[in-house]
Amino acid sequence: TIQVADSTPGNGGSSLQWWNGTGSAPVNLRVIQTDAAINPGNSGGALVNDRGELVGINVAIATAGSSSSGSQSGSIGVGFAIPSNVAKRIGEEIMKTGSASHALLGAMVSDATNSTDSAAFTVGAKVEKVTAGGAAAAAGIQAGDVITKFNGTVVTSAGELTAAVRQLAAGSKASVEFSRAGKSQTVEVTLGNANDLTK
């Protein structure tokens, strides 16, 4: 899972860059990491395996930072691609409806830790607040619950959960496992539409 942000908001285009902690709010994405040579300008291009099969769509690179002249430096050998099955789903939605949807859980989450001391490590996504009428609330998820699995995959941080939800289409059903008062529960959630937030 990585965090990226649009480096050219409001100009009609989009240029996702590794989020540096400033500027526009980041988006969490589940991606494939690759050491294939990806450089600025390759975003949106194909990532293929040694048989020429599409495995992803290049979306971001880790860079060494900006040079003193302000120009972007090149790849340091680590690139990231949206998995091809996600790209296929999004492409088909765009062709069918003119736009793509992203799922929404309807919960504000933060990293849950095993302790409050300096040796703490993350153990899931803690629900800080649920949206009234949202998917999480409808499934019975409450503030204070710690989500530990999403569709059978372990969740160790808030960013991982957000990225996993975002991969799915609006209206998708998902299995959510969470801990409440030390007891594990699993519920099925019908996810909302993140596009509704911009309306």
Side-chain angles (χ1 to χ4, degrees):
T1 299
I2 62 168
Q3 288 189 318
V4 295
D6 188 349
S7 65
T8 57
N11 71 352
S14 180
S15 176
L16 293 180
Q17 301 293 329
W18 191 272
W19 189 60
N20 62 7
T22 62
S24 60
V27 173
N28 292 293
L29 297 177
R30 266 192 174 172
V31 291
I32 299 168
Q33 181 176 321
T34 178
D35 61 359
I38 301 173
N39 290 293
N42 293 138
S43 289
L47 178 68
V48 297
N49 63 17
D50 60 358
R51 295 185 297 276
E53 298 165 331
L54 180 71
V55 295
I57 302 297
N58 300 327
V59 68
I61 58 172
T63 65
S66 298
S67 67
S68 59
S69 65
S71 62
Q72 184 180 20
S73 60
S75 171
I76 59 171
V78 180
F80 304 96
I82 295 171
S84 58
N85 59 339
V86 176
K88 181 175 186 284
R89 189 268 297 172
I90 290 171
E92 288 174 347
E93 271 194 275
I94 291 171
M95 288 186 288
K96 186 175 181 179
T97 68
S99 63
S101 69
H102 297 287
L104 181 69
L105 182 58
M108 291 179 59
V109 293
S110 64
D111 290 345
T113 60
N114 70 324
S115 172
T116 57
D117 63 29
S118 60
F121 57 90
T122 58
V123 294
K126 182 180 180 182
V127 178
E128 299 292 345
K129 181 180 177 183
V130 294
T131 304
I141 297 171
Q142 302 173 4
D145 293 344
V146 176
I147 297 174
T148 54
K149 285 187 180 179
F150 183 81
N151 274 345
T153 301
V154 173
V155 170
T156 61
S157 69
E160 282 187 3
L161 176 62
T162 303
V165 170
R166 184 177 173 78
Q167 270 194 321
L168 300 178
S172 297
K173 294 188 184 301
S175 169
V176 177
E177 184 176 317
F178 61 90
S179 175
R180 179 185 296 165
K183 294 183 179 179
S184 181
Q185 301 181 46
T186 302
V187 294
E188 185 177 85
V189 179
T190 301
L191 298 167
N193 191 341
N195 294 347
D196 292 342
L197 296 176
T198 60
K199 292 180 181 177

